[in-house]
Amino acid sequence: MEQRNNLVLQGTETFSRGQLDNVALDNGSVVLDSVAGRYLQYGSYTTPEFAMPAFCNLNVSWNAHAPQNTMVEVRCRVYAGGSWTGWMSFGKWAPDYPRASISTHSDDGLIFLMGDTVTVALPGGGTGVQLQVNLSTNDDKVTPALRLLAAAVRPLAWDKQGGHPINRRLYLPEYCLSAHDPSFGRDMDLPLVMAALMNRWGEDILPEEVAYVMEDKTTGSTSNGAFAAAAAGCCGFPCWQAWMDLQDLREQIHDGCSVAVRIERRIRGQRDPIGVWMGLRGFGHDDAVLADYVLLNDPTADSDGAVNCTMAVTDFARCFTGRAIALRPKPRDTEANRPRRVSCDFVYSAEDDCWYLAQKGQRQLLPAEFSGWAACSPHDGVAHATTAHRTFRRMERTRTGGFRFSPEQTAAGGRCSVYIVDHTGTMQFAEVRLPAPPLSEANQSTAPSVS
């Protein structure tokens, strides 16, 4: 399936070729070794050294199950200029941990890691790659489990192949930036596409859940492709970054798998071309003009209904950077960290005129440092394909740890769903019925009722 520039490691046979230090193989995953029923605190797995075509960019991906109190750190080193670099870390990672990328460089500054990409600026590029994964736990009863490890390079001399034209359309949910959490700005495009890639396989994940479990605390953005693949892995989907040409993309669509692709294009309000993540959902042919075209989902469109778009293959080949994120359907027996959801009550306090989350009659006050997303979605009587297609309205957070509905929603009344997503991607949700709008001053009612 992969070209030589894309390397995907998974399964017991493949992992067994690497060096295991205080780790073991269990059901196709790398886990911490155990003694007398207790897991060791630290361990590492190191791959063999892999020869790669001369490259200028390297991207690394991993999928791991990391329960609370466990951690995964992925590192790489590059062979360039006749020697190996030191180990470069992509940051310590776990769904509940404040993930942060690390910027580092070689002594001469010609090989450097920024965010999710290693760049080799030496003449001749890099020609070798080695990966290392450090596992750790603070609870000797649980261990992280590495399920997939991948490396993808952009060759210096890339003989891109077009492959054979195909005519196939895949369903891919349409989500646009304007309908979702504006906290991350245009960088929200990647969580939108990742949510669509998973939801087409029957999930019902909100883009906000993806965004907050892949947020890079160093940059405060959701543009880190390595964290995006790890977030999908948390939900049980095999997912990795790749450098692909048209032939690779056509093979993915032929196999029934949509792909996230990075496009360099001009968008409204921007003078210079910028990178946009889009969902690739198929290829087609127009007999009228004898031309091939590409079917895409563009999250920068004005509305969900305008997300679907087409682009001539020639234009797509010119705009496509080669960066892609592949995602495969979830195996049935895969353990997943996400999505994590908690059902709550939503109670009204007349004393301070705001609403509070509650569990078993106890208020759950929002912490002062809360940095997530709080929104409500009115029930409109429409059967939406996914929850993410619904209309969301931001809610005001109060200093007392509660919430207030927007004046428009309070005036409209009716039944609403409330969604609170914190910085770890954990969601608290509740159903509430606001008072119906008063018909006259004589029968106004201010006491809300909760379903």
Side-chain angles (χ1 to χ4, degrees):
M1 181 181 65
E2 260 63 46
Q3 285 187 339
R4 186 168 168 252
N5 63 311
N6 291 313
L7 181 68
V8 179
L9 308 177
Q10 57 183 331
T12 301
E13 182 180 352
T14 301
F15 283 139
S16 64
R17 299 168 187 167
Q19 179 180 341
L20 287 76
D21 296 315
N22 291 336
V23 296
L25 299 177
D26 179 29
N27 197 26
S29 299
V30 179
V31 300
L32 288 169
D33 209 346
S34 61
V35 177
R38 297 178 180 271
Y39 289 108
L40 301 179
Q41 192 171 7
Y42 299 103
S44 68
Y45 171 77
T46 306
T47 71
E49 299 172 354
F50 295 105
M52 306 291 275
F55 62 90
C56 55
N57 295 122
L58 163 69
N59 292 95
V60 173
S61 310
W62 61 90
N63 297 165
H65 177 68
Q68 193 172 8
N69 296 320
T70 68
M71 191 81 65
V72 175
E73 182 189 21
V74 179
R75 308 197 300 172
C76 76
R77 64 175 186 162
V78 172
Y79 187 81
S83 63
W84 286 95
T85 65
W87 290 103
M88 295 177 283
S89 173
F90 290 89
K92 294 181 179 179
W93 177 88
D96 298 313
Y97 185 79
R99 302 151 303 279
S101 60
I102 299 174
S103 296
T104 185
H105 57 79
S106 59
D107 293 337
D108 57 13
L110 296 179
I111 303 174
F112 54 92
L113 166 62
M114 290 187 64
D116 61 355
T117 303
V118 176
T119 300
V120 182
L122 286 172
T127 57
V129 171
Q130 189 174 28
L131 307 179
Q132 186 178 80
V133 183
N134 296 324
L135 307 180
S136 61
T137 182
N138 290 328
D139 183 348
D140 59 17
K141 297 299 182 183
V142 294
T143 175
L146 175 73
R147 294 192 291 249
L148 180 148
L149 190 59
V153 301
R154 179 179 183 178
L156 287 174
W158 195 356
D159 182 19
K160 296 183 179 180
Q161 302 296 314
H164 299 291
I166 64 172
N167 192 354
R168 186 174 188 187
R169 300 170 180 241
L170 302 177
Y171 168 71
L172 192 64
E174 310 89 16
Y175 307 136
C176 71
L177 289 168
S178 61
H180 291 276
D181 188 358
S183 302
F184 299 108
R186 203 194 52 75
D187 284 337
M188 189 69 178
D189 58 350
L190 185 52
L192 289 168
V193 174
M194 295 304 298
L197 292 180
M198 290 185 280
N199 286 349
R200 72 174 296 265
W201 294 109
E203 290 285 349
D204 192 14
I205 298 174
L206 287 178
E208 287 76 13
E209 292 179 276
V210 182
Y212 284 98
V213 82
M214 63 171 284
E215 179 185 3
D216 186 342
K217 297 298 184 180
T218 298
T219 61
S221 74
T222 54
S223 58
N224 190 309
F227 290 170
C234 285
C235 298
F237 292 88
C239 184
W240 62 92
Q241 297 186 92
W243 287 93
M244 297 186 178
D245 55 21
L246 268 174
Q247 177 173 298
D248 297 320
L249 296 179
R250 282 174 163 141
E251 289 176 358
Q252 294 290 329
I253 296 299
H254 179 270
D255 291 343
C257 295
S258 292
V259 184
V261 292
R262 181 79 167 173
I263 305 293
E264 292 283 349
R265 56 167 292 186
R266 285 185 174 87
I267 63 173
R268 187 170 56 196
Q270 297 288 341
R271 178 179 177 182
D272 299 321
I274 60 174
V276 178
W277 283 100
M278 297 187 185
L280 175 67
R281 57 186 177 86
F283 291 88
H285 180 79
D286 189 343
D287 291 328
V289 294
L290 298 178
D292 295 322
Y293 56 86
V294 182
L295 300 163
L296 298 165
N297 276 11
D298 180 2
T300 64
D302 293 332
S303 64
D304 286 350
V307 167
N308 287 351
C309 64
T310 61
M311 184 183 297
V313 168
T314 52
D315 294 335
F316 176 81
R318 184 173 61 253
C319 299
F320 178 43
T321 63
R323 282 199 66 182
I325 298 179
L327 184 143
R328 291 285 168 164
K330 179 195 302 187
R332 292 184 178 181
D333 58 346
T334 298
E335 192 173 6
N337 292 87
R338 291 295 187 277
R340 181 184 294 169
R341 294 162 179 168
V342 181
S343 177
C344 299
D345 296 320
F346 211 52
V347 297
Y348 177 72
S349 171
E351 181 180 354
D352 44 12
D353 187 30
C354 67
W355 294 78
Y356 292 94
L357 289 166
Q359 287 183 341
K360 298 181 179 179
Q362 297 295 320
R363 286 186 183 180
Q364 304 294 312
L365 300 181
L366 206 64
E369 66 275 11
F370 179 81
S371 59
W373 178 70
C376 70
S377 176
H379 289 220
D380 53 12
V382 177
H384 297 283
T386 66
T387 302
H389 282 107
R390 298 176 65 174
T391 300
F392 297 93
R393 295 174 178 169
R394 293 296 294 270
M395 299 184 68
E396 175 190 353
R397 301 195 295 271
T398 67
R399 294 182 179 180
T400 58
F403 304 88
R404 286 194 180 96
F405 290 92
S406 66
E408 295 81 6
Q409 187 59 51
T410 302
R415 186 182 172 193
C416 298
S417 298
V418 176
Y419 303 94
I420 316 295
V421 181
D422 68 16
H423 66 283
T424 69
T426 299
M427 178 199 291
Q428 293 174 288
F429 65 95
E431 296 291 325
V432 62
R433 187 180 296 277
L434 297 174
L439 298 177
S440 64
E441 293 184 2
N443 62 358
Q444 286 186 7
S445 174
T446 59
S449 61
V450 179
S451 61

